Amino acid sequence: ALGEAERLLDWLADNSSPAFDRSSWGYNFDWQNSTKFFLPATHPCGVVTVFCARPFLRHYDLTGFDPSLAVAHDAATFLLEDIGTEFVDGHKVLTYTPYDSYVAVNANALAADLLWRVGKRLGDERLLNRARELFSFVVDAQTEVGGWHYSVPASDSRLGYDNFHTGFVLESLSRYAREQDAGDPARVAYERGMRFHHENHFEPDGAPKFEDDQSRPYDVHAAAQALVTFTRRDKPEDAALASRVLEWTLDRLYDPDGYFYRRIGQVVTDKTPYIRWNQAWMCLALSTFLKQEHGDEPNRQ
């Protein structure tokens, strides 16, 4: 398994975006984000870069292989120097890509998390300070109810308090918040956010609602992210919810042939076996859940 993972990491390193010299990644197809911006195929964005950099960091943690840490550091430098920036309520925040002015809260949280983790491993204060700045924005962007709108301003997106992007924010914030004192704003925001997420994004049987006020479509991505998010804390209520989500997902979204469906909509169930949206996320979710259950996670940072 390690050999196959390393083969895929080599491929990923060789197939970073040709638009920048630094390690960065985008989609392999043109992508239109509503009316806000257009991202051509292979051009990088912050979210994809974070998710592609994470396995290099994981590989370094497991093996001590310095070239993998170097790739993660290169990606962090891309976030630090190449992504666009905007000023929001006194915070210098990141835009979604190097080419637009769109500010998504989860994209900033994900970037902050990578900057923090790479900075900690290298003792790089420039990365750590930028991570603190972005986390401060995320904390301030939390609304009175304890959730986060998708974008700032909220009117820039049709999404409100949606499920899996909230999970992205909370997972990203958890690693940083755990290292702060009990009364630190990041820790307070994390605990408030977890309560909001727990109380508003799941049906009693564990079904993952799409948004706080909208149940369908029940999306496998929300189910998968929930299993990751609710294994970040060692609390009985989190474990109980994760178990319900898992049971519901296996019952409603798992095909006997061995793959997961994308979503259950108002009328139609999309059974397309997408490799990234369904299978990869559920593989991550299941392994995360099982390692938490058995207490053998080698490095939860």
Side-chain angles (χ1 to χ4, degrees), residues 2 9 53-70 72 114 117-118 120-122 175 297-301:
L2 179 60
L9 283 173
R54 279 183 176 183
F56 289 97
L57 196 59
R58 179 67 168 163
H59 183 247
Y60 169 76
D61 288 342
L62 291 172
T63 66
F65 188 60
D66 287 331
S68 287
L69 180 59
L114 184 69
R117 294 164 72 188
V118 175
K120 292 280 286 187
R121 284 155 180 78
L122 292 171
R175 282 179 269 258
E297 177 74 70
N299 186 347
R300 293 187 64 199
Q301 294 300 314

Side-chain angles (χ1 to χ4, degrees), residues 7-271:
R7 184 187 71 81
L8 293 171
L9 283 173
D10 287 342
W11 183 93
L12 198 58
D14 290 340
N15 286 273
S16 62
S17 172
F20 286 83
D21 291 335
R22 295 191 178 93
S23 299
S24 58
W25 293 268
Y27 300 114
N28 61 327
F29 48 82
D30 293 343
W31 183 52
Q32 178 70 49
N33 182 345
S34 183
T35 61
K36 298 304 177 184
F37 64 85
F38 173 75
L39 186 66
T42 76
H43 284 253
C45 71
V47 170
V48 180
T49 295
V50 168
F51 284 130
C52 289
R54 279 183 176 183
F56 289 97
L57 196 59
R58 179 67 168 163
H59 183 247
Y60 169 76
D61 288 342
L62 291 172
T63 66
F65 188 60
D66 287 331
S68 287
L69 180 59
V71 173
H73 180 230
D74 202 37
T77 305
F78 168 80
L79 297 173
L80 191 69
E81 298 184 1
D82 297 321
I83 289 285
T85 57
E86 292 284 324
F87 282 92
V88 176
D89 296 330
H91 300 286
K92 185 181 179 182
V93 302
L94 301 181
T95 60
Y96 209 90
T97 78
Y99 319 107
D100 68 273
S101 59
Y102 190 74
V103 176
V105 176
N106 80 93
N108 279 270
L110 290 164
D113 178 46
L114 184 69
L115 292 168
W116 182 255
R117 294 164 72 188
V118 175
K120 292 280 286 187
R121 284 155 180 78
L122 292 171
D124 189 327
E125 284 299 321
R126 192 167 72 124
L127 296 181
L128 294 173
N129 286 335
R130 187 67 174 118
R132 293 185 185 100
E133 185 177 17
L134 294 178
F135 277 129
S136 179
F137 160 69
V138 172
V139 169
D140 286 351
Q142 188 177 38
T143 70
E144 292 181 359
V145 301
W148 287 270
H149 293 298
Y150 179 83
S151 62
V152 177
S155 58
D156 275 358
S157 175
R158 61 179 177 79
L159 295 174
Y161 300 114
D162 79 287
N163 193 322
F164 66 82
H165 288 111
T166 300
F168 286 175
V169 173
L170 289 167
E171 182 198 351
S172 300
L173 191 57
S174 68
R175 282 179 269 258
Y176 177 73
R178 279 204 306 269
E179 299 180 26
Q180 312 309 313
D181 295 334
D184 187 88
R187 196 156 186 171
V188 172
Y190 172 67
E191 297 297 337
R192 285 184 65 217
M194 287 293 282
R195 285 195 299 273
F196 173 82
H197 193 37
H198 191 292
E199 295 171 1
N200 292 277
H201 280 144
F202 302 92
E203 307 282 11
D205 63 355
K209 297 165 62 178
F210 193 75
E211 298 199 50
D212 64 313
D213 59 354
Q214 175 186 332
S215 290
R216 293 181 185 242
Y218 297 122
D219 194 293
V220 70
H221 206 343
Q225 183 58 42
L227 295 177
V228 175
T229 303
F230 288 103
T231 53
R232 301 305 304 168
R233 299 186 304 183
D234 187 19
K235 291 196 172 185
E237 60 268 30
D238 290 355
L241 178 57
S243 294
R244 291 197 301 275
V245 172
L246 176 58
E247 184 177 356
W248 183 93
T249 304
L250 293 175
D251 182 55
R252 301 292 301 278
L253 292 175
Y254 184 64
D255 191 277
D257 286 342
Y259 63 91
F260 288 89
Y261 305 148
R262 180 194 177 201
R263 60 172 46 169
I264 299 174
Q266 296 286 357
V267 179
V268 177
T269 295
D270 183 354
K271 298 184 178 183

